[in-house]
Amino acid sequence: MRKEVLLAGGVGILVIVAALTAFFVPGTLADPELDREPAGRLGLEEMTITSTNVTGGSATLSVDTRLSHRGGPSDNVTILLRAIDLDTGLVETETTLDVGTIESEKEVSAVGSLTVARNGGYRIESIAYVNDRRIERGTKEIRGVETLTPAYARTATQFHEFPDRPSLEYRIQAVSENRATLNVSTYLTNTGDAADDDLRLVVTARQADSNIVADEASVQVGEIAPGRTAKPTVTLDVPDGYNYYLDATLWKDGVIVGNTRSVANLNPNETVSVNTTQRDTGLQSGDFVTDSPSGPNAPETGTTTEESGPGFGILATLVAIATLALIKRGTHK
């Protein structure tokens, strides 16, 4: 009987001690699962794409992937970026970003670059991995990559657009011996925030029906202040009585950065417009014989220096000499 009383008393003491321990030492009897930090949760919130470098043949795209994180740490986070050609479905290029470990509740930005050919369109994919396990995937399509302007061809200066007339205009300065001297000018506006210089304007007169170059002149434009318009002028010497397309080309550092077209109607019997199709009119090709240099590096022929026009009548002289030789040969027979 005494042993049973002692045993019961010992059990009671143990119960009291356990109760006191649980009361004064929090967590002693807590469930271990409740103390374990919840696993990290990773989500892909947003993708933004910008072009950072554009050349003649390629474009470099900067892809910013925004990741949201909740819960415990996410270890070994990586992002796979790839560009897939929309026409062929083939992977153009891909790269992997090492994000590392993400802790606490926050948003993380992962930025990577993809270089693609400057044509067509692409589907850009951003795939998030945690410990080599795919978690999230985001996609975005881009088109018209070929319209991105290469860095070497960028300029804020443009041919001014008028609502009712072309930006290229001409005046007939003189007419003599079946030749016409044209004074051709255009309007160039700097739409940027900084001064623009090293610009060269080349104007070409092409016979409308044959596309024969009758004359070409160029002039250095000089510096154009931001928000200002310049009016460079050149002089062209062409055979009279024909209609011409006037093509103006703007060059900067050896690269074409703009062009526009107008017409000069010197034929009193018909006129042409910019969109007129070419047709055979039986023109005299001898009127357009020339030894003058052409191209962006030709001598300047603007308001300060004039370039001589094409020769006129050289072919007729050669024909006359050949005819006299034949007559003389026939006389001796």
Side-chain angles (χ1 to χ4, degrees):
M1 182 68 182
R2 187 175 181 181
K3 290 182 180 181
E4 293 176 355
V5 173
L6 292 175
L7 182 60
V11 172
I13 292 173
L14 290 175
V15 171
I16 294 172
V17 171
L20 292 175
T21 302
F23 180 79
F24 290 104
V25 184
T28 303
L29 301 179
D31 188 346
E33 294 295 329
L34 297 178
D35 284 345
R36 185 178 301 170
E37 191 172 18
R41 298 188 303 276
L42 197 66
L44 197 155
E45 297 296 325
E46 183 184 17
M47 286 176 58
T48 56
I49 304 172
T50 57
S51 62
T52 57
N53 184 44
V54 182
T55 66
S58 66
T60 300
L61 308 175
S62 176
V63 184
D64 184 358
T65 304
R66 306 290 298 187
L67 301 172
S68 62
H69 184 262
R70 300 290 183 272
S74 294
D75 300 322
N76 190 25
V77 178
T78 57
I79 301 290
L80 173 64
L81 296 178
R82 61 188 179 193
I84 301 174
D85 192 296
L86 291 178
D87 293 327
T88 65
L90 299 176
V91 175
E92 175 81 5
T93 185
E94 65 179 29
T95 187
T96 300
L97 309 178
D98 186 5
V99 182
T101 299
I102 303 178
E103 298 179 333
S104 71
E105 296 188 1
K106 60 181 177 179
E107 193 170 278
V108 177
S109 174
V111 181
S113 297
L114 296 171
T115 300
V116 298
R118 195 170 69 90
N119 57 52
Y122 300 90
R123 183 173 72 253
I124 308 301
E125 294 186 347
S126 180
I127 306 173
Y129 292 84
V130 175
N131 287 323
D132 298 327
R133 183 169 60 92
R134 179 182 294 197
I135 301 298
E136 283 281 358
R137 174 177 174 269
T139 64
K140 181 171 286 190
E141 291 186 359
I142 58 173
R143 301 178 185 274
V145 178
E146 68 278 0
T147 63
L148 296 175
T149 304
Y152 61 76
R154 292 175 187 166
T155 179
T157 301
Q158 304 172 1
F159 287 99
H160 191 87
E161 296 291 339
F162 294 98
D164 55 351
R165 61 188 175 92
S167 62
L168 198 64
E169 59 187 18
Y170 74 97
R171 295 192 302 273
I172 300 177
Q173 183 173 309
V175 177
S176 177
E177 298 180 356
N178 295 324
R179 300 195 67 81
T181 302
L182 306 180
N183 190 275
V184 185
S185 58
T186 189
Y187 298 86
L188 298 172
T189 300
N190 182 354
T191 60
D193 298 325
D196 205 352
D197 57 8
D198 194 24
L199 296 169
R200 186 179 180 88
L201 177 70
V202 179
V203 181
T204 305
R206 303 178 187 273
Q207 202 279 327
D209 299 305
S210 65
N211 210 33
I212 294 175
V213 174
D215 197 11
E216 184 175 272
S218 64
V219 64
Q220 199 72 26
V221 177
E223 183 177 288
I224 306 177
R228 299 295 181 178
T229 298
K231 187 182 179 183
T233 302
V234 300
T235 300
L236 299 175
D237 185 18
V238 299
D240 193 18
Y242 295 96
N243 295 325
Y244 298 92
Y245 290 122
L246 300 177
D247 293 327
T249 306
L250 188 62
W251 296 74
K252 182 172 184 177
D253 194 23
V255 178
I256 294 176
V257 294
N259 59 79
T260 189
R261 166 173 279 195
S262 184
V263 295
N265 288 306
L266 305 185
N267 186 341
N269 299 318
E270 65 176 356
T271 61
V272 296
S273 63
V274 172
N275 297 322
T276 299
T277 56
Q278 299 176 3
R279 58 188 177 82
D280 183 11
T281 58
L283 62 88
Q284 299 297 317
S285 60
D287 293 349
F288 300 93
V289 175
T290 178
D291 295 325
S292 301
S294 62
N297 297 318
E300 291 186 12
T301 55
T303 54
T304 57
T305 306
E306 293 187 3
E307 183 181 24
S308 61
F312 179 72
I314 296 177
L315 181 61
T317 302
L318 295 176
V319 171
I321 294 173
T323 302
L324 290 174
L326 291 174
I327 294 174
K328 185 176 180 180
R329 181 178 179 183
T331 303
H332 286 291
K333 287 185 177 179

